[in-house]
Amino acid sequence: MEAGQSAPHINADRLLGHLEQLATFGRGPGGTNRVAYSEADRQARAQVIQWMQAAGLDVEIDAAANIVGRRPGREPDRPPLVIGSHIDTVPNGGNYDGTVGSLGAIEVAQTLHEQGIVLRHPLEVVIFQNEEGGLIGSRAWIGKLPPEELDHVSHSGKTIREGIRFLGGDPDRLDEVIRKPGDIAAYLELHIEQGPVLYEEQIDIGVVEGIVGIRWWRVTWEGTANHAGTTPMDRRRDALLAAARFIQAVNRIVTSEPGRQVGTVGQIEAYPGAPNVIPGRVVCSLELRDLDDAKIQRLYAAIEEEARAIAQESGVAVRFEPINVNKPAPTDPRVRDVIEAAAQDLGLSTKRMPSGAGHDAQDMAQLGPTGMIFIPSVDGISHSPKEYSRPEDIANGANVLLHALLRLDEAPWVR
Amino acid sequence: MEAGQSAPHINADRLLGHLEQLATFGRGPGGTNRVAYSEADRQARAQVIQWMQAAGLDVEIDAAANIVGRRPGREPDRPPLVIGSHIDTVPNGGNYDGTVGSLGAIEVAQTLHEQGIVLRHPLEVVIFQNEEGGLIGSRAWIGKLPPEELDHVSHSGKTIREGIRFLGGDPDRLDEVIRKPGDIAAYLELHIEQGPVLYEEQIDIGVVEGIVGIRWWRVTWEGTANHAGTTPMDRRRDALLAAARFIQAVNRIVTSEPGRQVGTVGQIEAYPGAPNVIPGRVVCSLELRDLDDAKIQRLYAAIEEEARAIAQESGVAVRFEPINVNKPAPTDPRVRDVIEAAAQDLGLSTKRMPSGAGHDAQDMAQLGPTGMIFIPSVDGISHSPKEYSRPEDIANGANVLLHALLRLDEAPWVR
C-alpha cells in the first residue's frame, strides 16, 4: 500500500451475509452439524470455493483436501503470506468458530481485489479441512499426519483417508503438500475467542500469545455385563460406576492446583447400554490442556494413578490409549506487535492472551512467523448452537486481519 | 398319593437327554438363538409337543400360541394345577433359562403317567410363548396383552400378531384364553436362579418369595455445551460431571440400607459427545428393583432429592421421566411352605429369596396361589451362552416340582 493512501476497509455487510449463508449448511434443530467429511461439509466447501473465485483467487483443492486460493504478489519469488481458518464444526456446533476467520480471510482477499491492491508477497487464503477432528489439514502441511491416523474414523463415520477422498483430495499424495520452515512469509488467523475474557472485559481484539498444548486419551473400563435384576449390588463389576468415579477424579485433580489448566471428559459410551444390564464396558475420553506441557504430563500421571486405584477397588480393568498430542505453540512476538499496532490504528482496544483452544495456527507456527487475532464471544460460549459474536466485532476482526496483513507485507523482517 | 406309598422320583437321565436335545434347536457359534417366532422356536415347540404327548398329555396350542398339555384329575370339577415355563431364548442366549422348568414340568407329567398316579386336580403343563419379549403368552392369559402391543416387532422380525399366527395361534381370538382369578388351583414354576446366590452359598433350592417390582426412569441432565479449552473449570456447567455424581449417589443410596434391592444405571449418552466439548446434555437410565414397591419409592425419593442437590450445586437442571413400572408379585406364603417342605423331605437345603428377574409366574400370581422353585446357576451367569446349571441341580429341581405338586394336590386350602 502506498503511503498516504486512505486506509482500506472490508465490506462488513457482505462478510456478514456470507456468514449467514454458510450457516445454512448443516443447520439442524440441535445446532450446526457440519462435521468434516459430511455431506454438509462438502456442500459448504463448494460454496466457499465460489466466494474465493469471486474474490479473484486461483483456487485449488490440495492433496490433503485443504482449499487454497492464490493471488499473485509484486515480488513472485517471495514465499506467500497465508491467511485462513476452517469451516468444519463439532457435532451440534455453532456458526462462528472457524467460519469468521475463513470468510474474514476471503473478505480480505476480495477487498484487495476490488481496491486493486497488489501485495509484495503472493497471498494464499487457506481453508483447512477437519480442524475439529485434530487439525488434520494443517498437520498434513507440516508433515505430521502419520499414515496410521488416516484409518481413524471421524465423526462423519468415514475414516480420514475416506474423508480426504470424499472432499477431492488424494491421501496417497500427501507428501506433495508438505511445507518446510521458511516456505511461508507469515501466517495470520482471525478467530473467535471461544471464551469469556474479551466479552466480559469489553475489549475489542485479543492478541494471542500462544496456543495451549492438548493431550487426549481414550480410556476403556472393562467390568462384567450382567443381569441388573439378579446380580446383587456387592457382586457387581460395574464399568460405569468406576467410570463415574473417574470423571469426578479428573475434575478434582485438575482443579487441585492454581492455573489455567483444564481437564475434560466429553465422550462416554456404555455397553451393552440397556437399562436392565449392568454396563460391562465403558469407553470415555480424557483431554488435558495447558500452556505448559510438563504440567499436562504431571496432571495426567496423577489422574492415571487415581484411575488404577479406582479400577482395583471396583474390580474392573482400565486402559489408557493416547490418541492425540498437540504441544504448546507460542506465536511470534513480532507478529503480536504488528496485530496490536494495526488494531490500535483502527481505534480498537487490545489484550494479550493465551488461546485455550487448539488452532491450525499452532501448526503454521512451525512454518513461519504466526499470529492470531481474537474477537469476543458473547458469554464465552462456543461449540454450541448458542455461540455468537457481534457483527461489529466480526467487522473489527476482519479489518485488523486486513491491516495486519498489509503491515506484514511491508515489514522488513518478513522474508 | 396314598400315605405310605414310596416317594416317586423323576427320571433324571431322560430329563437331561431332553434338555440336550432341545439345545440343538437354534444352536449357533454365539449361543442359542431361539427367539420367539423364529423357525428354531417353531421346530423346538414341535419337539416339545411330541414329548408332552409321550407323557400322556392331551396337547393343544391355544389362541395365544401357548402350548397346553392336559391330564385329567380324580375330581374333574376342580380347577387345574398348572406347571410350566417357556422355551424361547434371548438372542445369543443359553440352554437353561426357561427350558429347565418347561422340560422339568413335562418330566413330572411323564412320571405321574408312568407311575399311574392320578391327582385329585386336573393337571395342565403350559409352555408359555415369548417370555423373553415381555411375558407375552402369560399376559394373554390374564387379559393384559393390549391390542396395540400385537403390532410390536419382536426379535424375530415378526410382529407379535404375526408370531402368534406363525406358531399356530389366532390373534383374533385372544379373548378365549383369558382366565379369571380362581380359574387355577395353583401355579408352580421351576427356573434357574440367573444370579449367583444359590451357587455361591451352595444351597440346593431357592424358594422364591416373589418377583421384584421394577421401576425405570429416564434421567436428563441439562448443562451448557462449551469449548473444553476456553471455558475455565470454575465457569463450567458440565452435565456429565453432574451425571457422574448421580451414578455414584444411586449406588450409595441403594446400598445404604440392608436388603436385596438393586439400582442400576445401565444406559448413558452424553451430547454432543466430543472429547473437546463439555457435555451440555446427558441422558441416562435409572432402574430400581425390590420386592417391596414402597421401598422402591422410598429409594427413588432419596435419589431424586440427591439428584436435585447435585444439579443445584453443578449449575445444571435435572428431569426424571418414568418409563416403565412392573409392580412386585409376591408368591403365596402357603405355596412357599409347601415347596420348602417338599425340598426338605428330599434332603435338600433351601433359601428364601426374591427373583430379581421377571417370570411368567408373576402373571399367574393373579390367577391363583403361585410359587417358584429356583436351582443354582453356575457363577450366576444367564442370558449368555455360558449359562449353566449342574445335572444334579436340575434333577433336584424337577423332583421338588413333583413333590410340591403332590403336596398342593392334597392341601386342604387349595380349591
Side-chain angles (χ1 to χ4, degrees):
Chain A
M1 179 172 68
E2 300 299 316
Q5 189 182 326
S6 80
H9 277 76
I10 60 95
N11 180 333
D13 288 344
R14 180 173 55 207
L15 172 54
L16 297 167
H18 284 176
L19 278 165
E20 255 178 56
Q21 241 181 297
L22 196 65
T24 62
F25 294 90
R27 176 175 283 166
T32 297
N33 279 291
R34 197 168 60 233
V35 297
Y37 320 140
S38 64
E39 190 52 43
D41 183 33
R42 182 155 71 170
Q43 289 174 8
R45 285 163 54 98
Q47 173 64 77
V48 162
I49 287 170
Q50 280 185 28
W51 288 327
M52 290 170 84
Q53 288 167 336
L57 296 167
D58 181 22
V59 181
E60 174 210 19
I61 295 176
D62 73 12
N66 300 307
I67 305 171
V68 186
R70 294 192 172 84
R71 175 178 169 78
R74 298 194 308 271
E75 299 175 16
D77 291 343
R78 288 188 180 271
L81 289 165
V82 184
I83 57 177
S85 193
H86 66 96
I87 65 158
D88 63 303
T89 71
V90 294
N92 297 317
N95 295 310
Y96 298 86
D97 176 1
T99 58
V100 164
S102 296
L103 303 193
I106 294 169
E107 178 58 36
V108 163
Q110 180 134 21
T111 302
L112 297 178
H113 183 58
E114 286 175 347
Q115 306 204 5
I117 301 169
V118 180
L119 303 178
R120 287 166 69 207
H121 294 80
L123 176 69
E124 287 185 4
V125 175
V126 58
I127 311 300
F128 288 114
Q129 59 98 342
N130 202 357
E131 192 267 355
E132 299 292 359
L135 312 180
I136 303 301
S138 56
R139 284 203 284 128
W141 273 23
I142 62 171
K144 293 203 171 153
L145 186 59
E148 63 270 21
E149 196 168 341
L150 298 178
D151 295 321
H152 284 194
V153 176
S154 70
H155 278 298
S156 64
K158 299 180 183 69
T159 63
I160 289 169
R161 177 180 284 106
E162 291 164 344
I164 288 174
R165 281 220 177 81
F166 180 74
L167 295 185
D170 182 350
D172 297 330
R173 295 193 298 116
L174 293 182
D175 279 357
E176 298 175 13
V177 306
I178 297 174
R179 303 195 187 195
K180 297 181 304 297
D183 279 356
I184 67 169
Y187 177 72
L188 282 177
E189 184 168 352
L190 167 65
H191 208 281
I192 60 169
E193 180 198 333
Q194 306 183 270
V197 177
L198 295 174
Y199 177 74
E200 289 187 0
E201 299 184 13
Q202 300 186 44
I203 290 165
D204 299 316
I205 295 292
V207 180
V208 177
E209 294 169 306
I211 290 132
V212 297
I214 308 175
R215 285 174 184 263
W216 164 19
W217 293 262
R218 181 187 295 122
V219 188
T220 305
W221 302 83
E222 296 279 0
T224 302
N226 221 330
H227 193 297
T230 59
T231 313
M233 298 304 285
D234 60 355
R235 295 265 196 357
R236 298 177 172 209
R237 296 171 60 232
D238 184 335
L240 183 55
L241 191 58
R245 280 186 62 187
F246 170 75
I247 291 165
Q248 296 289 106
V250 168
N251 190 266
R252 192 182 64 248
I253 291 167
V254 169
T255 57
S256 66
E257 54 178 292
R260 298 176 55 124
Q261 68 278 358
V262 292
T264 306
V265 178
Q267 213 168 30
I268 190 164
E269 306 277 351
Y271 303 92
N276 58 352
V277 185
I278 299 159
R281 183 159 176 261
V282 167
V283 181
C284 64
S285 60
L286 167 65
E287 202 214 59
L288 300 174
R289 302 186 188 212
D290 195 68
L291 271 170
D292 176 6
D293 194 51
K295 188 185 222 179
I296 294 177
Q297 302 207 40
R298 192 172 67 241
L299 290 167
Y300 172 67
I303 288 169
E304 201 196 359
E305 189 186 337
E306 175 94 15
R308 303 226 175 272
I310 291 168
Q312 190 160 8
E313 286 167 34
S314 311
V316 307
V318 64
R319 187 171 76 247
F320 286 80
E321 295 161 86
I323 298 297
N324 205 14
V325 176
N326 292 317
K327 294 281 181 70
T331 55
D332 189 297
R334 298 165 301 184
V335 181
R336 294 177 205 157
D337 291 345
V338 163
I339 294 168
E340 199 166 61
Q344 284 167 359
D345 245 24
L346 289 161
L348 301 171
S349 56
T350 63
K351 180 188 175 84
R352 298 205 171 200
M353 60 192 304
S355 169
H359 295 291
D360 294 308
Q362 71 201 57
D363 294 330
M364 297 303 285
Q366 299 193 17
L367 303 182
T370 286
M372 281 197 84
I373 302 157
F374 272 177
I375 60 166
S377 291
V378 171
D379 291 330
I381 296 170
S382 185
H383 283 193
S384 154
K386 294 181 192 152
E387 180 181 272
Y388 180 63
S389 286
R390 294 167 300 210
E392 60 271 28
D393 290 323
I394 293 168
N396 287 341
N399 276 317
V400 172
L401 178 64
L402 170 60
H403 283 255
L405 179 72
L406 294 172
R407 283 170 178 265
L408 282 176
D409 187 48
E410 299 291 342
W413 56 269
V414 174
R415 292 185 66 204
Chain B
M1 181 170 66
E2 300 298 317
Q5 187 182 331
S6 81
H9 278 75
I10 60 94
N11 180 334
D13 289 343
R14 179 172 57 204
L15 172 54
L16 296 168
H18 284 176
L19 277 166
E20 254 177 58
Q21 239 182 296
L22 197 64
T24 63
F25 294 91
R27 176 175 283 167
T32 296
N33 279 290
R34 197 168 61 233
V35 297
Y37 320 139
S38 64
E39 190 52 43
D41 183 33
R42 182 156 70 172
Q43 289 174 9
R45 286 162 55 98
Q47 173 63 77
V48 162
I49 287 171
Q50 280 186 29
W51 289 327
M52 290 170 83
Q53 288 167 336
L57 296 166
D58 181 20
V59 181
E60 172 209 21
I61 295 176
D62 73 11
N66 299 309
I67 305 171
V68 187
R70 295 192 172 82
R71 175 177 170 79
R74 297 197 306 272
E75 300 175 15
D77 291 342
R78 289 189 179 268
L81 289 166
V82 184
I83 57 177
S85 193
H86 65 96
I87 64 158
D88 63 305
T89 71
V90 293
N92 297 315
N95 295 310
Y96 300 85
D97 175 1
T99 57
V100 164
S102 296
L103 303 192
I106 295 168
E107 178 58 36
V108 164
Q110 180 134 21
T111 301
L112 298 179
H113 183 58
E114 286 175 349
Q115 306 205 8
I117 302 169
V118 179
L119 303 179
R120 288 167 67 207
H121 295 80
L123 176 68
E124 288 185 4
V125 175
V126 58
I127 312 299
F128 287 114
Q129 60 98 342
N130 201 358
E131 191 267 356
E132 298 292 359
L135 313 180
I136 304 300
S138 56
R139 284 203 284 128
W141 272 25
I142 62 171
K144 294 207 171 152
L145 186 60
E148 61 272 20
E149 198 167 340
L150 298 178
D151 296 321
H152 285 193
V153 176
S154 71
H155 278 299
S156 65
K158 299 181 182 69
T159 63
I160 289 169
R161 178 180 285 107
E162 292 163 345
I164 289 173
R165 283 220 176 80
F166 180 75
L167 296 185
D170 181 349
D172 298 330
R173 295 193 297 116
L174 293 182
D175 279 359
E176 296 176 13
V177 305
I178 297 174
R179 304 197 185 194
K180 296 182 305 298
D183 278 357
I184 67 170
Y187 177 72
L188 282 178
E189 184 169 351
L190 168 64
H191 208 281
I192 62 169
E193 179 196 335
Q194 306 183 270
V197 176
L198 295 175
Y199 176 73
E200 290 188 358
E201 300 184 12
Q202 301 185 43
I203 290 164
D204 299 315
I205 295 291
V207 179
V208 177
E209 294 167 303
I211 289 119
V212 298
I214 307 177
R215 285 176 183 262
W216 163 20
W217 293 263
R218 181 187 295 126
V219 188
T220 304
W221 301 84
E222 297 277 1
T224 303
N226 219 329
H227 193 295
T230 59
T231 313
M233 298 303 285
D234 60 357
R235 292 268 208 352
R236 298 178 170 210
R237 296 171 61 231
D238 184 335
L240 182 56
L241 190 60
R245 281 186 61 186
F246 170 74
I247 291 165
Q248 295 290 107
V250 168
N251 190 266
R252 191 182 65 248
I253 291 167
V254 169
T255 57
S256 67
E257 53 178 294
R260 292 161 299 193
Q261 66 279 358
V262 291
T264 305
V265 178
Q267 214 168 30
I268 188 165
E269 306 275 352
Y271 302 92
N276 57 351
V277 186
I278 299 159
R281 184 159 176 261
V282 168
V283 181
C284 63
S285 60
L286 167 65
E287 202 215 57
L288 298 174
R289 301 188 187 211
D290 194 67
L291 266 179
D292 176 4
D293 195 50
K295 188 185 223 180
I296 293 178
Q297 302 209 41
R298 192 173 68 242
L299 290 167
Y300 172 69
I303 288 169
E304 200 194 1
E305 189 186 338
E306 174 94 15
R308 303 226 174 271
I310 291 169
Q312 191 160 9
E313 287 167 32
S314 312
V316 307
V318 65
R319 188 172 74 247
F320 286 80
E321 295 161 86
I323 298 295
N324 204 19
V325 177
N326 290 321
K327 292 282 181 69
T331 54
D332 189 296
R334 298 166 299 187
V335 181
R336 293 176 207 160
D337 291 345
V338 163
I339 294 169
E340 198 165 61
Q344 284 166 0
D345 247 23
L346 289 161
L348 302 170
S349 56
T350 62
K351 179 187 177 84
R352 299 209 171 196
M353 61 192 304
S355 168
H359 295 290
D360 293 310
Q362 72 199 57
D363 294 330
M364 298 304 286
Q366 299 194 18
L367 303 183
T370 286
M372 280 196 85
I373 302 156
F374 272 177
I375 60 166
S377 292
V378 171
D379 291 330
I381 297 171
S382 185
H383 283 192
S384 154
K386 294 182 192 154
E387 179 180 276
Y388 180 64
S389 286
R390 292 167 301 210
E392 61 271 31
D393 290 324
I394 294 168
N396 287 342
N399 276 317
V400 172
L401 178 64
L402 170 61
H403 283 255
L405 180 73
L406 294 173
R407 284 169 177 265
L408 282 176
D409 187 48
E410 300 291 343
W413 57 269
V414 173
R415 295 187 64 203

